[in-house]
Amino acid sequence: MSCPKDWPEPIVRVQSLSDSGTPVIPDRYVKPPPERPSAAISDNQNDINIPLIDLGGLSGDSSMRAVTLDQISIACREWGFFQVVNHGVSPTLMDQAREVWREFFHLPIEIKQNYANSPKTYEGYGSRLGIEKGAILDWSDYYFLHYLPEILMDHNKWPVLPVSIREVIEEYSSELVKLCGVLMKVLSINLGLKEEHLQNTFGGTNIGACLRVNFYPKCPQPDLTLGLSSHSDPGGMTLLLPDENVAGLQVRRKDHWITVKPAPHAFIVNIGDQIQVLSNAIYKSVEHRVIVNSAKERVSLAFFYNPKSDLPIEPVNELVSP
Ligand code: OGA
Ligand code: NI
């Protein structure tokens, strides 16, 4: 098991709790009533979804392009979240990435324990965030790894099994860095800046990128807990590959939690805290959380695209009024 001097208490894999077949979740996972899924601020709105945007429009004629830019602009201002299709990443690669990680989580525990993480860097296989003793925990396990900058990327901290996993992570990550580059240009243009502006304030090619793969096991009492507590993403921008067949992500919209209905082979894009700051809060870094269910496990890949870690971040001058 992982080193007891790193974490405040022994790490329990949520997957092993789920596999044990217990009908009752341990108290550690029971959220206080106001945080539970059904304690919606007001009623959940089931017929609403975050905007779905066809990025194919960016390479269309000038009016198509203008419409697409506008859709993205509205989504960044009003939602902080949107789905994109026709984004240029191969659907086969997307499926491979999700399924190879699903296979990883179904490997025997002894193999996964070789990658058990510590709170020093969080890299590897983990089951909690934070080291507060006695904290209420989320119903999920995860795997966290660095892709950029190159100096932080350590292949030894990536799994060796399933055999194709490292190759798939490499290809997937390099494709996602490209897509983030495209989106960074769009966001800059939409803010009235030069297209390279945001990328340059992120550090040009010296940006950070990391992957957090979330595994949400089936939960016998899904109404009492959350797969991931409410948070906003601290980095620049996130590209989430959800489990196409299992909903779970909820996005805060005013007084409601909107459950995202994933579109086939779409990425869910969201603005992180750093872009909220750079844009002088014209773009919103919106709170979100994950609910779990008793029927199906859920796998998601969150790819975080971040400014170089030691760059001070402040609102872009052009976006600040007197
Ligand atoms: C995250 C996240 C959502 C999901 O990893 O930061 O918000 O659907 N994940 O797994
Ligand atoms: Ni998040």
Side-chain angles (χ1 to χ4, degrees), residues 80-267:
F81 264 87
F82 51 102
Q83 299 194 71
V84 293
V85 289
N86 278 321
H87 39 61
V89 180
S90 139
T92 316
L93 179 61
M94 296 171 80
D95 292 342
Q96 271 175 347
R98 192 196 314 100
E99 297 316 314
V100 79
W101 276 108
R102 191 189 304 279
E103 276 177 53
F104 170 81
F105 283 101
H106 285 291
L107 289 172
I109 185 70
E110 311 80 69
I111 294 183
K112 291 179 291 195
Q113 283 301 118
N114 291 329
Y115 303 96
N117 74 350
S118 87
K120 282 189 199 76
T121 65
Y122 280 99
E123 286 166 286
Y125 179 47
S127 297
R128 68 180 287 163
L129 282 174
I131 51 165
E132 189 202 335
K133 212 173 165 164
I136 305 281
L137 303 178
D138 289 339
W139 192 265
S140 55
D141 300 321
Y142 64 87
Y143 202 103
F144 179 68
L145 57 84
H146 285 289
Y147 180 66
L148 288 174
E150 238 163 87
I151 191 158
L152 284 186
M153 178 175 77
D154 183 355
H155 275 160
N156 294 321
K157 296 192 171 142
W158 297 15
V160 272
L161 289 175
V163 279
S164 63
I165 197 165
R166 288 189 181 176
E167 201 184 318
V168 173
I169 300 169
E170 273 290 352
E171 194 184 347
Y172 181 80
S173 303
S174 94
E175 287 295 301
L176 265 63
V177 166
K178 282 188 229 159
L179 176 55
C180 287
V182 170
L183 290 166
M184 291 287 278
K185 285 186 183 168
V186 168
L187 266 51
S188 297
I189 295 167
N190 278 341
L191 287 167
L193 305 169
K194 292 212 179 70
E195 67 171 25
E196 297 301 337
H197 197 117
L198 284 181
Q199 188 68 49
N200 288 340
T201 47
F202 265 45
T205 51
N206 279 321
I207 50 103
C210 46
L211 177 69
R212 181 184 151 109
V213 183
N214 299 295
F215 184 78
Y216 304 99
K218 288 182 220 174
C219 178
Q221 295 182 298
D223 299 339
L224 299 183
T225 191
L226 289 169
L228 205 52
S229 297
S230 174
H231 66 283
S232 65
D233 290 348
M237 174 166 69
T238 307
L239 292 190
L240 183 85
L241 174 61
D243 203 316
E244 234 164 71
N245 305 311
V246 191
L249 174 63
Q250 294 188 319
V251 174
R252 188 167 178 157
R253 171 114 164 130
K254 300 184 184 117
D255 286 344
H256 302 278
W257 287 107
I258 307 289
T259 303
V260 175
K261 277 128 323 250
H265 293 114
F267 283 108

Side-chain angles (χ1 to χ4, degrees), residues 72-82 183-184 186-188 191 198 202 231-240 251 268-288 304-306:
I72 298 172
S73 173
I74 292 169
C76 293
R77 288 162 196 259
E78 295 183 5
W79 286 88
F81 264 87
F82 51 102
L183 290 166
M184 291 287 278
V186 168
L187 266 51
S188 297
L191 287 167
L198 284 181
F202 265 45
H231 66 283
S232 65
D233 290 348
M237 174 166 69
T238 307
L239 292 190
L240 183 85
V251 174
I268 298 168
V269 182
N270 69 288
I271 302 295
D273 296 349
Q274 309 300 320
I275 289 186
Q276 172 166 316
V277 169
L278 284 167
S279 73
N280 198 22
I282 294 171
Y283 292 168
K284 305 296 187 301
S285 176
V286 169
E287 275 179 287
H288 51 286
F304 302 109
Y305 191 80
N306 299 330

